Amino acid sequence: MARSALLNVMVQAAIKAGKSLSRDFGEVQNLQVSVKGPGDFVSQADLKAQKIIRDELLKARPTYGFLGEEADEEIKGTDGAHRWIVDPLDGTTNFLHGIPMFSVSIALERNGEIVGAVVFNPATDELYTAERGGGAFLNDRRLRVASRRVLSDCVIGCGVPHLGRGNHGKFLVELRHVMGEVAGVRRVGSAALDLAYVAAGRFDGFWEVGLSPWDMAAGILLVREAGGFVSDLDGGNDMLATSSIVCGNEHIHKALAEVVKRPIPTK
Ligand code: 2AM
Ligand code: CA
């Protein structure tokens, strides 16, 4: 698998940040038993990882813009066409609780289109990469979305809104409809990893509402380059703006979107 120079920059940044996160994750596991807990420590780990990524990316391409979860404000960049979209630690709650399901997510956008993607879980050493038109990979293995055609055979990932966020009632209606149609529902807690799992054929589909651009930018390209279909819940293509996402292979994407959007029962 030949990677472009740009993708290599992204991979190096993700691995470097991943090493820092891995070291801190070891410490987080020790801090679980302390009275204060690992909260502040995790915020520092997150900021450290973002600084590593930003420094690496901006060193390689000083004119590109930068949008990151931990950045106070977007760096516009003088280039105008290119923007990095970065989540240094997706799955923060898992990380905080010592659960090894979190990721570094780095996407490159060119003229409003995602053209490069890296999602890296340093706890499992799984590196997902994609370039537009070049396919998606898990480490060196080419990825393909699962081929199941009926929902009743499918394992579907989702995101669950938590305390103080999102519309809990609406989510419960979506879940009620989906759980009655599928073989299993899963909740990973890192949207970037959920999307990588769809690309890898582990999940047959995934939906979530209320995501930020950095949660899904890289994952969207992974799914598409693995042959999957991605849209927002209204069938539109501007997931980063509308903040909802549904995906799967051609058949499951359509079927899942229909079930998720089924109206609230009146009785
Ligand atoms: P995070 O771990 O970087 O916060 C889980 O369903 C997904 O939702 C994760 O990708 C998670 O990203 C994101 N998420 C969790 N809390 C969030 C919040 N308060 N605002 C935006 N996204 C959030
Ligand atoms: Ca995130």
Side-chain angles (χ1 to χ4, degrees), residues 201-216:
R202 294 175 179 176
F203 288 171
D204 299 278
F206 169 73
W207 94 97
E208 187 160 355
V209 173
L211 290 174
S212 300
W214 42 79
D215 300 321
M216 51 178 162

Side-chain angles (χ1 to χ4, degrees), residues 6-205:
L6 263 176
L7 192 69
N8 269 327
V9 166
M10 296 162 72
V11 166
Q12 289 320 313
I15 289 175
K16 200 167 171 188
K19 280 192 181 134
S20 172
L21 287 174
S22 276
R23 276 195 300 273
D24 288 338
F25 187 63
E27 188 58 25
V28 161
Q29 289 170 309
N30 296 329
L31 287 171
Q32 295 303 333
V33 292
S34 78
V35 178
K36 196 162 155 253
D40 292 346
F41 181 80
V42 169
S43 303
Q44 290 309 313
D46 205 346
L47 287 169
K48 227 190 305 177
Q50 172 142 310
K51 183 173 173 359
I52 290 169
I53 296 168
R54 202 188 47 214
D55 289 353
E56 288 285 312
L57 297 180
L58 294 183
K59 186 174 71 186
R61 294 292 186 277
T63 61
Y64 288 12
F66 186 96
L67 175 67
E69 173 155 27
E70 301 306 324
D72 291 335
E73 60 182 49
E74 182 172 353
I75 299 170
K76 282 292 179 204
T78 53
D79 165 284
H82 293 90
R83 177 167 75 147
W84 305 109
I85 304 177
V86 172
D87 193 342
L89 174 54
D90 189 49
T92 318
T93 306
N94 285 342
F95 189 92
L96 179 70
H97 286 257
I99 301 166
M101 292 159 90
F102 55 88
S103 60
V104 176
S105 174
I106 302 177
L108 175 62
E109 192 186 58
R110 179 177 296 140
N111 297 319
E113 248 186 298
I114 313 292
V115 296
V118 175
V119 172
F120 179 48
N121 179 353
T124 57
D125 249 333
E126 288 185 324
L127 177 72
Y128 298 86
T129 55
E131 288 188 90
R132 198 174 136 79
F137 295 83
L138 166 49
N139 298 325
D140 289 332
R141 183 167 64 85
R142 180 93 188 237
L143 295 180
R144 182 82 205 155
V145 291
S147 57
R148 293 181 190 83
R149 283 176 172 236
V150 289
L151 276 178
S152 55
D153 292 334
C154 288
V155 168
I156 300 295
C158 68
V160 182
H162 52 88
L163 188 65
R165 296 277 307 182
N167 185 332
H168 294 200
K170 195 157 174 284
F171 170 74
L172 287 171
V173 172
E174 292 169 2
L175 180 62
R176 180 174 151 190
H177 287 145
V178 173
M179 69 199 238
E181 302 275 352
V182 304
V185 178
R186 298 289 182 271
R187 197 277 202 242
V188 168
S190 159
L193 271 189
D194 283 301
L195 292 165
Y197 284 10
V198 173
R202 294 175 179 176
F203 288 171
D204 299 278

